[in-house]
Amino acid sequence: MMRIDVHDLETYKSYVAADAAAIEKYQGWFLVRGGQHEAVHGTARSRNVLVAFKDYATALACYHSPEYQQALSFRTKAAVAEVIAIHGA
């Protein structure tokens, strides 16, 4: 899960393209990518993204992959974010 505030939309577009390629390689799929939301408690970021993978190990492998790390170089220039890997029940 990612919570994101984008401050450079043009650079963020490069992240989105590279991010999608890494996620596709690891057979992930987007459950949420932006969209309307409301912080009913606490502080929200302007954008939320939720990606699913077949298992926890694959999610971590995707994040640590060279492909995603290249994408991450764009995101760190364009946005502030928290990223959380969660093992589902």
Side-chain angles (χ1 to χ4, degrees), residues 2 5 7 11 20 28-29 34 38 45 54 65 68 71-72 82:
M2 288 193 294
D5 281 332
H7 54 79
T11 302
W29 61 98
E38 178 181 340
R45 296 245 182 224
K54 67 179 181 177
S65 72
Y68 187 78
L72 185 58
E82 292 87 35

Side-chain angles (χ1 to χ4, degrees), residues 7 14 20 40 43 48 61 67 71:
H7 54 79
S14 297
V40 295
T43 304
N48 299 286
E67 296 85 2

Side-chain angles (χ1 to χ4, degrees), residues 9 51 56:
L9 187 55
V51 182
Y56 186 68

Side-chain angles (χ1 to χ4, degrees), residues 7-9 11-12 70-80:
H7 54 79
D8 177 350
L9 187 55
T11 302
Y12 190 76
Q70 180 182 3
L72 185 58
S73 71
F74 293 115
R75 195 192 75 221
T76 57
K77 294 174 188 170
V80 176

Side-chain angles (χ1 to χ4, degrees), residues 15-85:
Y15 164 73
V16 169
D19 167 65
I23 290 170
E24 181 179 336
K25 179 179 178 180
Y26 286 85
Q27 300 176 337
W29 61 98
F30 290 95
L31 298 174
V32 174
R33 195 170 196 182
Q36 183 178 353
H37 66 279
E38 178 181 340
V40 295
H41 182 82
T43 304
R45 296 245 182 224
S46 59
R47 185 170 174 80
N48 299 286
V49 177
L50 182 59
V51 182
F53 292 90
K54 67 179 181 177
D55 56 38
Y56 186 68
T58 303
L60 292 177
C62 180
Y63 182 84
H64 294 294
S65 72
E67 296 85 2
Y68 187 78
Q69 292 303 304
Q70 180 182 3
L72 185 58
S73 71
F74 293 115
R75 195 192 75 221
T76 57
K77 294 174 188 170
V80 176
E82 292 87 35
V83 179
I84 304 166

